Every structure is written in structure tokens, then in C-alpha cells.
Amino acid sequence: MKLWLPLLGCALLSLAIAKRVSYTEFQLYVVHPETRDQLEKLHELAQNVDYDFWDAPRLNRDVRVMVSHYDEAKFEQVLDRHDITYDPVVGNVQQILDKERATNAEFYKRAKRDSNSRSTIDFDHYWTLDEIYDYIEEMASASPMVTVFDIGTTREGRPIKAVTVSSNGEVSLERPVLFMDSGIHAREWVGVMSVMYMFHEFVEHSELYTEQLSNTDYVIIPVLNPDGYVYTHEVNRLWRKNRVQNNLLCAGVDLNRNYPFSWAFTSNACTNTFAGTEPASEPETKAMIGLMDRYKSAMTTYIAVHTSGEMILWPWGYDFIHCDNWEEHDVLGKKARDAIIAAGGNEWEVGNSADVLYKASGATDDYAYHTGARLAYTIELSGGGQNGFDLPVAQLEKAIREAFEIYKTFGANAGTLPLPTPSA
Ligand code: 0X9
Ligand code: ZN
């Protein structure tokens, strides 16, 4: 049997390259843990590669889990044994993905037809990596506020691009910087779109945002995992990690477990949260660390943009420890939450990352806080309910406008903060 494994690996690999991954044979469950024991059990199941948890298990919350039809009976048996209630909500996950793809393709075609020489700038469809890169480059040529540069190259040879926005032109390091990234998790498209929306508003309608732009500079990595992002557009919509080939069977490091602060070893390279072979093993991580190093003397605020769950989370995330200035984080987080409510959104949860969500080591937020950002948040935007990461495009604009309320609140605040004191 052993001899066949490499062959099987190669076969799977070439299949993955050639063909779009299909989720016809996958079932989506909504599971509802009601006791500590049940919660514990779900945390344990989340480590199993056969079950794709779309949400972190939380008490008395709906948790979406995708399971192949092959593993269904086994999964239901475990849930029954622990009296965990569940509903099988979608029998064929591919149907959701197809619907999103069709609408997206339709918008894409229309946008291409309508635009003459301009890049696509509608928020009615999910942008491809090329669209994102074309747009920021175009803005860099058109606006003195914008600078674009490459901060590294991925394993598959794509550039990782950063873009800065400053009403002074260049980021001088003499005034506060708000540093942010999205797309570290490939499938979390809504986050990327929200950042592109902010960029678009700040650059093309800058006169409306003097409070945000007059004393704050922005350093943005719109897609921190370009290989993964392209892979979600072209092959597997539900891919999360980067695309490094770990071994014959499994690819991908979870870049949000790869940072060299409180990095924790994980043994199974096939899991969705594989942390890499060592801290900062990945080129995307190295690129981001380099960029943060360059701006850290002015970085007052950091935002990691993710989906989903409607949460504003503050450090630490690697353990149940509140960071020193957690109250300052909490007050500002709640201000952003109020702005979302005023704009017609839900009441988001604001709190400590480990308490509200779960403990996770080696993430960007803890790294940024450790590096000297006075305020460091992870935000989890609105998701698509039973559609998972496929928020229908009809709801996209609402979700990105809500995120924009956070960016405006944090952006205005960032400019009022003193520059970090250099560490000895
Ligand atoms: O698990 C993650 O990386 C983030 N959630 S997601 O569902 N988008 O994958 C949360 C990271 C929170 N930060 C820390 N725990 N440090
Ligand atoms: Zn994420």
C-alpha cells in the first residue's frame, strides 16, 4: 500500500491542478452546542480534517460545519452520542458556490462591457487578484496620495503588493499610521472587498474623509495570500491557507498561525490551521514582517480583516490574557460597534479574542501588538449565513459598508494617538 501513496498523491495533485474542486458531495450542518461538554467535543471535532468548521464553536451559537456525504453518518453518530442538536441545512454545497459564481461572472462581464479604459470599480461582484492589482496601480498613477510597491513574492511567483494612502503623498513616519491587511485567509472575500471599498472611498472621494485623512496615513496589504486567493477563484472556493506543497498529499500553511510571536507547533500538515514547519516559514509572512518593521515607528493601529461572525476582537489571542490597555481597545471597539448600529447593522460582539472566539497562536494581531502597535484588532465581518463564505453579492454592499464604519472610526482615532515610543 505504501508504494502506491506517492502515485495517489501525484494523481490527486494533477487532478487539483486540472479541475475545479466540486462540493456536490458535501453537506452543510448547523450545529448548536448548549453545554460546556458539548462545546469541548466540538472543539475536538474541529481538529479532524474530515470536518470543515466554517465557524469557531461557541456556546449557544450556530456553528456551520461542512462534511462529505461519506463522513455524514460518522459525524451524526458523534453528535447524537453527545446530545448535540444539529440541522442538515444544505445537501449539496456546490449549489451555493455555483450560484455565487454565476452572479459574479455576470457582473464581471457587465462591468468589463461598461468600462472603457478604467479598471472595474463596482462593488457588485467579487474582484479577482488582477482586478485588485490593476485598480491600485491605476490609482497610484492617477493620485498623488497613493503609492504601490511589491513587498515579496509568493511560492507560485506572484507579487504581494502593498499600497499606501497619505494626504501628504508619501508616508513620512512623522504622523500615525493605520496598518491593515485582508485576504490572509483565501476564501474570506468579503474582507478583501471591504478594504478595496475603503481604499476607493478615501482616494476617489477624499474630500468626504478629512477626519480620517488629515492626520492618519494608511499602509494596506489588500491580499496577503495571493496564491490562495487566486486558487479560491479558479479551483477551490473554500480554500483557506497559502499554496505551499507540504507533502505529496497536503498543501498549505495557515498564514494566521505562522507569525513568530507565540508560534505553536502543529503536527498535521493537512489541517486547515497548519502553522508551518517553523515560525515565519512562509514568504507571505516574511513580507508582512518586513513591511511592519518599516512602519512600526509610526504604527499606532493595526487591523486584521477576516470573515465571519460580526466581531471586533482585541489581544491577546494566543491565550486568555487581557492586554495591558484592553480597556482602551474595548472603548474604541464599542464606538465602532455603535457606528455600525447607527448605519443599520447588527450588534457586533466586542471583546478579548480568546474569550470571544478561541485561543490561536502565531496570528498577525498578536504579532502587531507585540511589535508596538498601541491598538491591534482582528475584525470578523458579516458572513453569509448558510451560504458560508459566499455572501450573495446582493448583500455585499451592506457588509462592506458596515466594515467601513469600523475603518472610519479607527482611522479618525489613529490620527489622534502619539507615535509609539521606540523600544530600547
Ligand atoms: O482563526 C483565525 O485565524 C481568525 N478567525 S477566522 O475564522 N477568520 O479564521 C481569528 C484570529 C484571532 N486572533 C488570534 N486568536 N490571535
Ligand atoms: Zn480568517
Side-chain angles (χ1 to χ4, degrees):
M1 179 61 198
K2 261 192 186 139
L3 281 176
W4 289 103
L5 271 178
L7 281 181
L8 180 70
C10 291
L12 288 177
L13 189 67
S14 47
L15 204 73
I17 291 165
K19 221 170 150 263
R20 204 175 272 276
V21 172
S22 167
Y23 288 93
T24 341
E25 296 302 319
F26 283 79
Q27 162 84 50
L28 184 67
Y29 289 92
V30 171
V31 178
H32 204 80
E34 279 156 2
T35 67
R36 289 247 149 234
D37 285 352
Q38 293 177 344
L39 188 67
E40 251 335 274
K41 190 68 210 169
L42 289 186
H43 276 297
E44 196 187 309
L45 289 178
Q47 298 308 313
N48 186 325
V49 284
D50 296 334
Y51 312 134
D52 187 4
F53 276 67
W54 289 5
D55 303 293
R58 287 193 288 158
L59 218 49
N60 296 315
R61 299 288 180 125
D62 286 347
V63 181
R64 296 162 306 166
V65 189
M66 186 178 72
V67 178
S68 75
H69 289 321
Y70 179 80
D71 292 314
E72 248 174 60
K74 185 177 72 176
F75 183 64
E76 291 186 9
Q77 261 169 25
V78 185
L79 298 182
D80 288 337
R81 234 190 353 261
H82 291 82
D83 281 329
I84 304 174
T85 47
Y86 60 88
D87 287 307
V89 287
V90 179
N92 171 358
V93 170
Q94 189 57 39
Q95 273 172 357
I96 307 172
L97 308 183
D98 286 347
K99 218 187 302 157
E100 179 204 62
R101 224 172 110 66
T103 348
N104 210 36
E106 192 42 49
F107 274 108
Y108 185 66
K109 251 192 293 170
R110 201 161 355 126
K112 275 269 172 270
R113 225 178 13 246
D114 295 349
S115 69
N116 17 58
S117 60
R118 287 215 58 177
S119 309
T120 335
I121 45 147
D122 68 83
F123 293 92
D124 297 328
H125 83 287
Y126 292 101
W127 298 8
T128 61
L129 186 71
D130 285 346
E131 285 180 291
I132 292 166
Y133 281 0
D134 284 354
Y135 182 56
I136 58 177
E137 293 288 1
E138 185 183 317
M139 286 299 104
S141 311
S143 164
M145 289 169 66
V146 179
T147 308
V148 175
F149 47 95
D150 292 356
I151 57 167
T153 308
T154 65
R155 305 253 182 196
E156 292 176 351
R158 294 187 178 87
I160 306 161
K161 288 190 185 286
V163 55
T164 62
V165 178
S166 171
S167 57
N168 275 350
E170 290 287 319
V171 177
S172 64
L173 297 179
E174 272 155 24
R175 59 186 206 175
V177 161
L178 189 153
F179 192 113
M180 67 199 295
D181 57 77
S182 52
I184 190 171
H185 287 148
R187 62 194 179 182
E188 297 173 8
W189 291 0
V190 180
V192 175
M193 291 302 293
S194 74
V195 169
M196 293 316 296
Y197 182 75
M198 181 199 85
F199 173 78
H200 165 75
E201 284 294 307
F202 281 2
V203 175
E204 299 213 42
H205 304 289
S206 54
E207 69 289 352
L208 300 176
Y209 304 107
T210 44
E211 216 192 329
Q212 283 74 23
L213 292 169
S214 59
N215 202 33
T216 309
D217 292 337
Y218 295 80
V219 175
I220 305 162
I221 309 174
V223 184
L224 186 45
N225 175 8
D227 290 349
Y229 190 72
V230 169
Y231 194 68
T232 57
H233 276 263
E234 293 179 357
V235 182
N236 183 350
R237 173 65 186 90
L238 297 176
W239 191 257
R240 168 182 167 101
K241 304 184 280 181
N242 77 350
R243 289 296 305 155
V244 58
Q245 199 62 44
N246 298 319
N247 52 47
L248 275 169
L249 286 174
C250 298
V253 164
D254 182 351
L255 297 174
N256 212 29
R257 300 289 180 277
N258 192 235
Y259 281 76
F261 175 77
S262 84
W263 181 83
F265 173 78
T266 49
S267 55
N268 188 345
C270 298
T271 58
N272 250 345
T273 48
F274 179 54
T277 47
E278 56 181 23
S281 57
E282 300 312 295
E284 297 85 352
T285 310
K286 291 191 180 99
M288 159 97 151
I289 290 174
L291 190 69
M292 213 175 254
D293 222 43
R294 176 166 162 191
Y295 291 107
K296 71 180 178 201
S297 64
M299 177 174 67
T300 64
T301 310
Y302 168 77
I303 315 176
V305 180
H306 290 253
T307 66
S308 61
E310 304 195 334
M311 292 177 271
I312 298 175
L313 307 170
W314 40 257
W316 299 93
Y318 74 95
D319 206 348
F320 300 104
I321 305 167
H322 289 196
C323 62
D324 286 346
N325 61 337
W326 69 267
E327 278 158 316
E328 184 182 354
H329 278 86
D330 209 55
V331 168
L332 184 69
K334 285 178 174 151
K335 195 171 171 191
R337 174 179 71 186
D338 291 345
I340 294 172
I341 296 171
N346 295 329
E347 194 170 320
W348 288 35
E349 206 163 339
V350 181
N352 170 259
S353 195
D355 288 342
V356 173
L357 194 56
Y358 45 69
K359 289 197 299 183
S361 292
T364 59
D365 48 8
D366 283 356
Y367 182 79
Y369 188 67
H370 166 75
T371 301
R374 177 183 179 124
L375 298 170
Y377 295 90
T378 285
I379 58 170
E380 298 276 357
L381 308 185
S382 298
Q386 290 180 9
N387 291 320
F389 301 93
D390 277 300
L391 185 72
V393 278
Q395 293 164 35
L396 177 61
E397 190 155 336
K398 182 172 185 299
I400 57 189
R401 277 182 194 278
E402 282 176 21
F404 191 42
E405 294 302 323
I406 305 177
Y407 306 150
K408 282 190 293 184
T409 309
F410 286 8
N413 180 74
T416 67
L417 300 174
L419 295 186
T421 34
S423 50

